[in-house]
Amino acid sequence: GILSEEGVLASSTRESSMGIGIIINLATLPGLIIAPIAGVFADWFSKKGIMITSNAIRFFLLLGFILVLGWQNLWLSYILVFVLSVILQFFIPAEGGLIPSIVEKPYLLLANSLFSLTV
């Protein structure tokens, strides 16, 4: 088992399957809604600044989550996954937009392919 109302570890397969389904949906939904807007922000603002800021925010969110023992609260875990996914939607286009500036033109197709594969 993995996630349940009683805590992080579930005793039944049904509870853990539902928890995993919720996590997957919460991690995927921001990509459908926020990604187009985030791409515009990556064009308007400094890509390095967006990457640094989004990584710093994710770091401090995770640190706070660990320090307050957030993994013991199922709903707090769900909220964290959703918020981290929202922030990631800003990081991805900024990272992808920097590839042409750090990779030589003959290798650009390969670099973009590898980037897409890892995302």
Side-chain angles (χ1 to χ4, degrees), residues 48-85:
K48 285 195 279 187
I50 291 172
M51 290 174 65
I52 291 168
T53 303
S54 63
N55 269 341
I57 292 170
R58 289 190 301 173
F59 170 77
F60 287 113
L61 278 173
L62 285 171
L63 182 64
F65 182 76
I66 291 168
L67 292 176
V68 300
L69 304 176
W71 66 84
Q72 295 178 354
N73 183 330
L74 183 63
W75 293 104
L76 191 56
S77 299
Y78 289 155
I79 292 168
L80 178 73
V81 166
F82 182 78
V83 171
L84 290 176
S85 183

Side-chain angles (χ1 to χ4, degrees), residues 5-116:
E5 290 295 329
E6 292 82 31
V8 175
L9 295 176
S11 58
S12 76
T13 306
R14 182 180 162 272
E15 287 178 350
S16 63
S17 296
M18 184 183 302
I20 291 170
I22 291 170
I23 290 288
I24 290 171
N25 284 318
L26 289 173
T28 306
L29 190 60
L32 299 172
I33 299 169
I34 296 173
I37 299 165
V40 172
F41 274 87
D43 288 339
W44 286 351
F45 299 104
S46 163
K47 290 169 184 48
K48 285 195 279 187
I50 291 172
M51 290 174 65
I52 291 168
T53 303
S54 63
N55 269 341
I57 292 170
R58 289 190 301 173
F59 170 77
F60 287 113
L61 278 173
L62 285 171
L63 182 64
F65 182 76
I66 291 168
L67 292 176
V68 300
L69 304 176
W71 66 84
Q72 295 178 354
N73 183 330
L74 183 63
W75 293 104
L76 191 56
S77 299
Y78 289 155
I79 292 168
L80 178 73
V81 166
F82 182 78
V83 171
L84 290 176
S85 183
V86 167
I87 296 167
L88 183 64
Q89 300 313 312
F90 289 90
F91 182 88
I92 292 171
E95 183 182 20
L98 280 177
I99 291 174
S101 65
I102 59 175
V103 175
E104 295 176 17
K105 190 167 182 134
Y107 304 108
L108 194 54
L109 180 60
L110 177 61
N112 283 329
S113 298
L114 290 172
F115 171 74
S116 296

